[in-house]
Amino acid sequence: MVFGWLRRKPAVITKDYWSKSSSYPETWGDRATLAARHIAAGSHVLDIGCGRMQLRERLPAGCRYTPADMTKWTDEVHQIDLDRREFPPGTYDVVTLLGVLEYLQDPAFVIARAGQSATHLVTTYCHPLPTTDMARRRDNGWINALSVDELRGLLGKG
């Protein structure tokens, strides 16, 4: 499958950018609130790209939370680099990828690994629209531009 990759200059946002807590806006908590609505009470959740771990406080009762990110924010965070095909070990009920897929060189690998690790995936993705300014996507550091159909194909829903 050929994906909608941006023909681009290197992304403005680098991995160093993600090592600063200020790079994670507080407003992303709204996205975590929406995602938590799709997670059952008592689930074991792997939060990939956890950032400030805003999802944790929004999870239903009894959930076990496992954070993973490029930066080891706390001792409990699994430090991983998805572009190097690193993925936390273990099995989970739910894997979350909130605001992550746009930044990945190989989103297919990450989605496949999530599917091997959990029975449910909760994800977000900012699709390019016909009127989308691709320069804005590049400025956001988004390195791919998957269509709805391409993403559905990766999710096995195509």
Side-chain angles (χ1 to χ4, degrees):
M1 175 181 287
V2 176
F3 300 116
W5 298 103
L6 295 176
R7 303 289 180 240
R8 64 171 173 84
K9 62 185 180 190
V12 172
I13 296 177
T14 65
K15 292 181 182 184
D16 290 338
Y17 175 85
W18 296 117
S19 68
K20 300 175 186 120
S21 63
S22 61
S23 299
Y24 298 83
E26 195 62 39
T27 56
W28 286 355
D30 296 340
R31 177 177 60 199
T33 297
L34 292 172
R37 293 180 188 164
H38 298 279
I39 298 172
S43 295
H44 185 188
V45 179
L46 172 61
D47 185 15
I48 295 180
C50 65
R52 292 183 177 190
M53 295 182 257
Q54 293 172 312
L55 179 63
R56 172 187 288 191
E57 62 199 44
R58 292 161 169 86
L59 289 172
C63 285
R64 246 173 72 209
Y65 179 80
T66 302
D69 208 322
M70 285 191 304
T71 300
K72 191 163 182 64
W73 301 105
T74 67
D75 287 341
E76 69 185 313
V77 174
H78 290 267
Q79 188 170 13
I80 58 168
D81 184 337
L82 296 171
D83 285 336
R84 291 184 178 183
R85 295 181 161 247
E86 298 171 357
F87 199 92
T91 57
Y92 308 87
D93 299 306
V94 180
V95 170
T96 62
L97 294 163
L98 307 179
V100 173
L101 295 176
E102 296 87 344
Y103 299 95
L104 298 178
Q105 295 172 24
D106 190 359
F109 162 76
V110 175
I111 290 170
R113 283 294 288 119
Q116 294 166 359
S117 300
T119 54
H120 295 86
L121 171 66
V122 177
T123 189
T124 62
Y125 188 79
C126 292
H127 292 286
L129 301 172
T131 59
T132 297
D133 176 6
M134 290 303 186
R136 184 180 66 83
R137 288 186 76 78
R138 284 193 302 272
D139 289 343
N140 283 336
W142 298 342
I143 65 169
N144 62 64
L146 302 174
S147 70
V148 172
D149 289 340
E150 287 170 332
L151 183 59
R152 287 178 62 84
L154 291 179
L155 296 170
K157 305 289 183 189

